[in-house]
Amino acid sequence: MVHKEREASSNRVGIVGLGLIGGSLGLDLQDKDWEVYGLVNRETTAEKAKARGLAHFISTDPKILSDCNLVILALPLDQLITPDLSLIEALPKDAVITDVGSVKSPVLKVWEKIHPLFIASHPMAGTTSAGVDAGLKGLFKGKAWIGTPTKDTNQYALDTVKKVATSLGSQWLISDADTHDQAVALISHLPVIISAALLRTIGQEKNQSVIELSKQLASSGFTDTTRVGGGNPQLGTSMAITNTSELIKGLASFRLSLEELEATITNKNWSKLQEELKHTKSLREKFISD
Amino acid sequence: MVHKEREASSNRVGIVGLGLIGGSLGLDLQDKDWEVYGLVNRETTAEKAKARGLAHFISTDPKILSDCNLVILALPLDQLITPDLSLIEALPKDAVITDVGSVKSPVLKVWEKIHPLFIASHPMAGTTSAGVDAGLKGLFKGKAWIGTPTKDTNQYALDTVKKVATSLGSQWLISDADTHDQAVALISHLPVIISAALLRTIGQEKNQSVIELSKQLASSGFTDTTRVGGGNPQLGTSMAITNTSELIKGLASFRLSLEELEATITNKNWSKLQEELKHTKSLREKFISD
């Protein structure tokens, strides 16, 4: 850990929470000419974060944020939506504030009333790991980072967050919060539940020799398809809590889509199934390149 | 391509089909002291396979198999289940014959009547690529390769296929064909249809700005979960054709599992959802290690 004297600086960033996203931000921003102040909940977390050098200064006292001109709230969604009063009181009135939550409408609704320079944002940089040991350098490079401004958003604040995102190698995107939440329901939250349902299906198999062989045969296809459903349970739950209605819409649409494929198989309409799989192959190519 | 004179050898392997699996076998077995004879359907494929050096000798004439003491049928499932008469006639009566199909009961039913030294086997080494350009060295290393003998299976033939599998670095497993087909339905075929249904769901989204943002946001979670559903349409279709009843059973079980998770979300029973996701996380850890 670097022990610096606190001195006047216009590049003081506070990071609230030093888990995967917060810790990774701390590591990267220290390399980018920022003086980094980390706020965590527990002393034991503070000690671990200091040992890992996740920020220049680390404390459990919200006052550590008092001289920051940018504060990044890298907190779980539930803590973002019902923030501690002590945190709110510690945020400088003239600092730009942003969050990194994966759902934007509920966060924006709460925070646009709390702080005039709040920017709701979402770096798409989740992995399955979490906690103070999870942060790593270069996590945001090449990833999308979405800002969801409203007509009342302060332009200077938006530019400040954009600069941070692009300085870490992220691709900065702008969207309205509702469109963002619908898109992440489809491409992020829905896959978690579907992938979890696949794991539950295997979990409900009764034939022991099938289970044992399945364990031995599980290869890349199964590994890939079940990765997000076997990820962080807290994260999956808070996605569902905060994006419930979009997720339910997505699930209904998925169920219909699955039933149509299932009928194609039950009816042994193989030429139609092959057409469907050609279609999904081309859909995937439009969405991503491996 | 290596031009060798044909000479007496007890290590002559014929490979029927030089796509991903056949081509990879050809590349590896040439390094393992086998004289490799490749049989393909079309002259243009033969030329490409020669240019890639996928076998020592390559022909479109089944007679190329006449002196082989091992023949590996690396054909699509439909061609395995309704084999060409010219192929059957060209197989030496004293050669060991095996296949590499991903479903075993229907293959076994056909081939145990055709050849006394037939071994139904399945190397778990699929990727999304296919065709004469797909084969690559070392594809089987560290992968499971399952043999599904019956009480009538010739032990020498089984040992021969096992030796080939282990010589290429595969882990050799034994199972009965029905258990194999149930296991691959769960861990391989079911994920393909579920993953395809997820892609169809996105394909059916009507809101253009949601689609555009989804394309920009699609990250590792979506990439992983949709990989097998955006794979080879012929392969997916032939899995469904040949393993229909097990796949339909798996789909019914998955639908129930998904409906239970969906109800948990609709009822906003978040503690139960978190328990479910803890359970799927631990299930996945029992099945695979990333």
Side-chain angles (χ1 to χ4, degrees), chain A residues 208-281:
Chain A
Q208 202 56 39
S209 55
V210 171
I211 295 170
E212 284 313 312
L213 189 64
S214 295
K215 278 185 193 171
Q216 291 178 292
L217 299 192
S219 65
S220 60
F222 186 75
T223 302
D224 289 343
T225 317
T226 58
R227 186 168 289 115
V228 294
N232 184 333
Q234 286 81 8
L235 190 63
T237 307
S238 65
M239 282 172 169
I241 292 174
T242 48
N243 209 12
T244 315
S245 64
E246 295 305 334
L247 179 58
I248 289 173
K249 266 191 247 168
L251 280 165
S253 173
F254 172 80
R255 199 156 20 80
L256 186 64
S257 164
L258 182 70
E259 279 164 14
E260 286 168 359
L261 278 186
E262 202 175 348
T264 309
I265 293 165
T266 311
N267 297 333
K268 305 197 177 189
N269 190 340
W270 305 127
S271 60
K272 189 178 171 206
L273 181 64
Q274 184 150 334
E275 280 314 305
E276 288 287 356
L277 295 178
K278 274 185 197 166
H279 175 59
T280 56
K281 182 174 157 71

Side-chain angles (χ1 to χ4, degrees), chain B residues 181-240:
Chain B
D181 291 352
Q182 287 176 53
V184 294
L186 284 176
I187 56 111
S188 173
H189 305 169
L190 185 59
V192 169
I193 302 302
I194 290 164
S195 175
L198 176 59
L199 283 161
R200 287 183 92 238
T201 307
I202 314 277
Q204 286 171 352
E205 173 62 41
K206 298 279 180 286
N207 184 326
Q208 202 55 39
S209 54
V210 171
I211 295 171
E212 284 313 312
L213 189 64
S214 296
K215 278 185 193 171
Q216 291 178 293
L217 300 191
S219 64
S220 60
F222 186 74
T223 304
D224 289 343
T225 317
T226 58
R227 186 168 291 115
V228 294
N232 184 332
Q234 286 81 9
L235 191 63
T237 306
S238 65
M239 283 172 168

Side-chain angles (χ1 to χ4, degrees), chain B residues 9-11 28 31 53 64 87 111 131 169 175 200 211 220 242 279:
Chain B
S9 161
S10 62
N11 270 339
D28 278 2
D31 287 344
I64 196 173
L87 170 63
W111 279 90
S175 163
R200 287 183 92 238
I211 295 171
S220 60
T242 48
H279 175 59

Side-chain angles (χ1 to χ4, degrees), chain A residues 101-175:
Chain A
S102 59
V103 182
K104 298 272 61 87
S105 291
V107 174
L108 192 56
K109 246 174 234 160
V110 171
W111 279 89
E112 66 185 356
K113 287 174 199 151
I114 295 176
H115 201 285
L117 300 182
F118 180 75
I119 300 298
S121 86
H122 176 205
M124 298 286 294
T127 75
T128 51
S129 49
V132 70
D133 296 322
L136 42 97
K137 280 197 184 188
L139 182 67
F140 307 97
K141 209 172 169 179
K143 307 282 169 62
W145 189 326
I146 308 100
T148 59
T150 69
K151 59 179 176 33
D152 300 323
T153 294
N154 179 288
Q155 191 61 41
Y156 156 74
L158 189 63
D159 288 344
T160 301
V161 178
K162 176 183 176 175
K163 268 181 211 156
V164 170
T166 53
S167 78
L168 302 186
S170 282
Q171 185 202 0
W172 179 252
L173 299 170
I174 289 287
S175 163

